[in-house]
Amino acid sequence: MTSQAATEGAVDERGTIQTLKESVGLLSVRDRRRLLILMVVQALLALLDLAAIALIGLMAMLASGAATRTYPAWVESLLRRTPWADADPYRIVLVLGAVAAILLLTKTLTTFWVTRRSFRFLANRQAMISGGLAQRLLTRPLLDVRALSSQDISYSLTNGVNALTMGVIGQLVVLVSEISLLIALGVGLVFVDATVTVFTVVFFGVVGLVTQRRMGRRASRLGSRFTGAQVASYQSLQELLAAYREVTVSGRRETYITSFQRLRWDYAKVQGEMYLMAQTSKYVFEVALVVGGVILVSSQVLTKEVSAAVGVIAVFLVATSRIVPSLLRLQGAALTMRTSEGMALTALQLSRNLVRAEADPSISHETASVTLERVAQGLNDRFHGFIGTVECESVAFSYPGSSAGALEDVSVSVPAGGSLA
């Protein structure tokens, strides 16, 4: 990897971490605490996988040595410490298999329940964040609202917030769960065979890192292109519909239609690349699983006794059957987070703009919430009998940055209780 590519990778990682911090920062303290609890529960569930895999390894060793009752030394020592020392080894294997199955099923069902609660929680937070940003935006002065295009506002409050909550924060929950599982399995496998564990970690770790490195930055760029193409498509269509009569009369319909079609082709191309990239990891790890399995089985059969080799192979095959799907989910979550980052930045930028505007001391926050009812109540309380009529004479007004005047020599009179748009 060149130094330039390494620098770009570091910048991308810092950008992702900053996006994640800002996204979580939009949650309340109470919500952040609930999110932390959900992630801790997800992490602890990895211990059930570890216990089940350990039991399966013990089953394999007992079954392979059952005929001659010759087991590895640590297995014989373990049996002597239990009431099952003289029991039928095949019966012990059945009991251990049932317990391992219960542990795996419990882990799967509990993980599903926690994941469901996590995403329901984030879906609710999505609605709250969208509503909160909309409320803050629509209580700003007109010039602040007009500074953003309607397409940017619409996208930020809908797709942008969705990407922020489900695509960034939601994938953080998945990352914590899968990383916890991989760490628990790695630590547990060290006690079975340290050499094979190091091989497994290095082999699949290198495959995962290389794949993630190659696709991570691309995912972030695709997310930004996806957002740009979608917003531009909305804007092109809205412009065409808003000025349809003028466009038809002037004979420019084909120009607008061609522009819209080009934008949709760009959108479709990016979307296709995103779906293809999401499937690439699956095929990479399928090949890695076959290659790693062949190397593992060959090394164990050639260097160990049959019963010990069978036990180690069983443990690592079962562990790998959990590790590879976990790596796929882990990489999928990382890619989804990087893809969603570009979409989430629209909502985060809106939040940053609102924070800066709200910090401006020249604009009173109280005036933003003034209503006609409050004005009328204030007048009645302080100026009994006052009848207000608003008169404007020869008013002129221009928006900042515009050379043409919005109002020129306008005179109006609005009676008390009346309104004028």
Side-chain angles (χ1 to χ4, degrees):
M1 182 182 292
T2 64
S3 59
Q4 180 181 1
T7 302
E8 289 177 358
V11 171
D12 285 344
E13 294 299 331
R14 287 197 297 269
T16 301
I17 293 173
Q18 180 62 29
T19 300
L20 184 56
K21 287 181 178 179
E22 289 189 62
S23 300
V24 174
L26 290 178
L27 299 175
S28 66
V29 175
R30 180 172 176 269
D31 287 339
R32 289 198 292 269
R33 190 178 298 116
R34 291 180 62 186
L35 184 65
L36 178 61
I37 292 173
L38 289 171
M39 290 192 294
V40 170
V41 172
Q42 288 273 38
L44 293 177
L45 288 174
L47 298 177
L48 295 178
D49 262 321
L50 180 60
I53 291 172
L55 290 178
I56 292 172
L58 182 58
M59 285 169 51
M61 293 180 185
L62 288 172
S64 63
T68 59
R69 289 185 179 268
T70 56
Y71 314 113
W74 71 270
V75 175
E76 291 184 357
S77 174
L78 179 63
L79 286 175
R80 284 196 297 268
R81 296 177 185 177
T82 67
W84 301 343
D86 299 323
D88 181 1
Y90 293 108
R91 182 170 296 178
I92 297 175
V93 168
L94 290 175
V95 173
L96 293 179
V99 174
I102 291 172
L103 289 175
L104 290 174
L105 286 174
T106 302
K107 192 266 181 179
T108 299
L109 294 175
T110 308
T111 301
F112 173 77
W113 180 81
V114 174
T115 302
R116 181 184 179 190
R117 290 293 301 269
S118 300
F119 282 102
R120 279 191 173 182
F121 163 76
L122 289 173
N124 293 334
R125 299 292 82 73
Q126 172 187 322
M128 293 179 64
I129 292 173
S130 292
L133 288 175
Q135 182 181 30
R136 291 165 60 190
L137 174 67
L138 298 178
T139 54
R140 299 302 305 164
L142 176 62
L143 292 180
D144 288 357
V145 178
R146 288 176 62 91
L148 299 171
S149 70
S150 61
Q151 293 80 20
D152 286 334
I153 293 175
S154 299
Y155 192 90
S156 298
L157 295 178
T158 53
N159 293 4
V161 175
N162 179 44
L164 183 150
T165 51
M166 310 301 286
V168 177
I169 302 176
Q171 299 312 308
L172 172 64
V173 177
V174 177
L175 287 174
V176 170
S177 174
E178 302 308 329
I179 291 174
S180 301
L181 174 62
L182 294 175
I183 292 175
L185 292 180
V187 172
L189 292 176
V190 168
F191 294 98
V192 178
D193 192 308
T195 303
V196 178
T197 300
V198 171
F199 164 77
T200 304
V201 171
V202 172
F203 180 74
F204 285 106
V206 169
V207 172
L209 286 175
V210 171
T211 308
Q212 176 63 30
R213 208 66 164 157
R214 294 292 297 271
M215 295 194 297
R217 290 190 296 272
R218 181 169 176 77
S220 183
R221 290 194 295 269
L222 285 176
S224 298
R225 287 173 55 193
F226 182 85
T227 301
Q230 198 166 27
V231 172
S233 298
Y234 291 158
Q235 184 171 358
S236 175
L237 185 59
Q238 287 187 12
E239 288 175 354
L240 174 59
L241 295 176
Y244 186 76
R245 185 174 300 170
E246 293 82 354
V247 170
T248 302
V249 171
S250 61
R252 290 186 295 156
R253 276 188 300 187
E254 288 301 322
T255 302
Y256 274 88
I257 292 172
T258 301
S259 175
F260 178 74
Q261 289 176 334
R262 177 179 55 79
L263 291 170
R264 296 310 293 174
W265 277 111
D266 293 342
Y267 174 86
K269 181 179 179 181
V270 174
Q271 190 176 42
E273 291 182 18
M274 289 170 64
Y275 280 122
L276 176 62
M277 186 172 58
Q279 296 297 318
T280 302
S281 299
K282 172 186 174 182
Y283 301 111
V284 171
F285 279 106
E286 282 181 358
V287 173
L289 178 59
V290 173
V291 174
V294 170
I295 296 173
L296 171 64
V297 172
S298 301
S299 65
Q300 291 299 302
V301 170
L302 294 175
T303 59
K304 285 186 172 62
E305 295 180 0
V306 175
S307 61
V310 169
V312 172
I313 291 171
V315 168
F316 276 87
L317 288 180
V318 174
T320 304
S321 71
R322 309 293 281 186
I323 289 173
V324 171
S326 179
L327 284 171
L328 286 172
R329 291 191 295 269
L330 179 66
Q331 193 161 68
L335 290 175
T336 300
M337 182 180 288
R338 295 294 293 272
T339 304
S340 301
E341 180 184 350
M343 307 178 202
L345 285 176
T346 59
L348 292 176
Q349 187 59 50
L350 176 61
S351 177
R352 294 170 195 156
N353 292 340
L354 289 172
V355 169
R356 284 195 294 267
E358 290 165 353
D360 187 353
S362 64
I363 301 176
S364 170
H365 296 282
E366 185 179 356
T367 59
S369 60
V370 170
T371 63
L372 291 176
E373 291 79 5
R374 291 181 60 187
V375 172
Q377 185 64 41
L379 292 174
N380 291 333
D381 291 344
R382 299 187 183 183
F383 306 98
H384 296 287
F386 173 78
I387 299 176
T389 297
V390 177
E391 293 188 358
C392 301
E393 295 183 2
S394 303
V395 174
F397 177 77
S398 297
Y399 286 103
S402 175
S403 58
L407 297 177
E408 294 288 349
D409 194 25
V410 174
S411 300
V412 295
S413 178
V414 184
S419 61
L420 176 69

